[in-house]
Amino acid sequence: MKTNLIISFIMMLFMISCTSSQITNSWKSENIPEKKFNKIMVVGIIAGSDWALREKMETHLVGDLADKGYAAVSSIKEYGPKNFENMKEAEVLDKLSGLGVDAVVTIVLLDKDRERYYVPGKVYYSPYTIYQRNFWGYYTTIYERIYTPGYYQVNTRYFWESNFYDLKNRNLLYAVHTESFDPDSMEALAHEYGLLIVNNMLIKGVLK
């Protein structure tokens, strides 16, 4: 029994260390309804023309909700990329009601920061006794360090916000801020984000 607990703990630490996304803060309403929502629509709001990222973020969150027993739909797949453009609130609510949607979860890309920095080829410190005792040892070691070419690396950090709304009462039930650092791919980013948000909503009792 103790061995199984240790293995589970190690696996959990491994999963945390491998993920590029983490929740920075979250909030939930004190008035979470006991009902299970009929259908949840996932709405991505991402500036620019990055429809591929928006579609992946919506699709993965829809899939993660479905895995927990919730009917969910993607706004971009249901209505296209400009789903609610030039529409009024009443029109949007009627449109969603006609589809059976009674809750909405948003995915908003608040900011995207790219950092470019130089990685030296070989610059590190060693005790002088290792290579400085004679000229040639010093020369060959320093020569390799100085003349080994470096390279530039770019890291990308995403800042996300998601809100969960009960459309019947038009109440905000849950809000969360998340950071994603240098994900391996858009697919990996969307996969991690969906799991992170849905699991946190379950833990906090927002979803039943």
Side-chain angles (χ1 to χ4, degrees):
M1 181 66 177
K2 186 178 292 185
T3 302
N4 290 337
L5 288 173
I6 293 173
I7 292 173
S8 298
F9 180 70
I10 292 173
M11 290 181 66
M12 181 182 72
L13 290 178
F14 177 76
M15 289 176 67
I16 292 173
S17 65
C18 290
T19 184
S20 68
S21 300
Q22 63 177 355
I23 291 174
T24 55
N25 61 74
S26 63
W27 169 91
K28 78 164 186 173
S29 169
E30 296 180 355
N31 302 308
I32 302 294
E34 292 298 324
K35 67 178 181 180
K36 182 174 180 179
F37 294 96
N38 178 58
K39 185 181 288 185
I40 301 171
M41 174 162 283
V42 180
V43 180
I45 306 173
I46 298 176
S49 57
D50 203 349
W51 305 121
L53 176 58
R54 177 184 165 190
E55 183 176 9
K56 288 183 185 298
M57 297 297 287
E58 288 191 12
T59 299
H60 275 275
L61 188 48
V62 165
D64 292 319
L65 286 167
D67 288 343
K68 301 302 180 182
Y70 280 87
V73 289
S74 160
S75 69
I76 197 170
K77 290 186 176 179
E78 194 68 36
Y79 300 125
K82 297 183 179 181
N83 37 39
F84 306 130
E85 192 170 308
N86 299 322
M87 295 180 66
K88 295 181 180 180
E89 181 184 13
E91 295 175 314
V92 173
L93 293 177
D94 285 343
K95 194 173 186 177
L96 295 176
S97 177
L99 196 63
V101 173
D102 55 356
V104 168
V105 58
T106 59
I107 306 174
V108 180
L109 180 57
L110 296 175
D111 195 13
K112 180 180 177 181
D113 179 38
R114 293 172 66 85
E115 180 185 50
R116 185 172 183 261
Y117 63 94
Y118 184 74
V119 180
K122 284 191 176 182
V123 176
Y124 54 90
Y125 173 77
S126 298
Y128 73 93
T129 55
I130 301 296
Y131 65 90
Q132 291 185 2
R133 288 184 176 180
N134 64 76
F135 161 71
W136 190 244
Y138 174 76
Y139 176 85
T140 54
T141 301
I142 289 297
Y143 186 94
E144 182 182 11
R145 292 185 187 180
I146 297 301
Y147 287 98
T148 297
Y151 58 93
Y152 283 94
Q153 182 167 316
V154 177
N155 288 330
T156 306
R157 191 186 300 271
Y158 298 83
F159 300 88
W160 301 96
E161 178 179 76
S162 281
N163 291 340
F164 184 66
Y165 295 94
D166 181 349
L167 292 187
K168 180 180 179 181
N169 301 313
R170 304 187 187 182
N171 290 334
L172 174 65
L173 301 181
Y174 169 81
V176 61
H177 287 93
T178 308
E179 288 185 13
S180 302
F181 180 75
D182 208 25
D184 292 334
S185 64
M186 286 193 297
E187 194 73 31
L189 171 60
H191 173 67
E192 289 178 2
Y193 190 85
L195 285 174
L196 193 65
I197 299 306
V198 170
N199 286 336
N200 191 250
M201 292 173 76
L202 288 168
I203 290 171
K204 289 184 171 294
V206 179
L207 297 177
K208 307 301 177 185

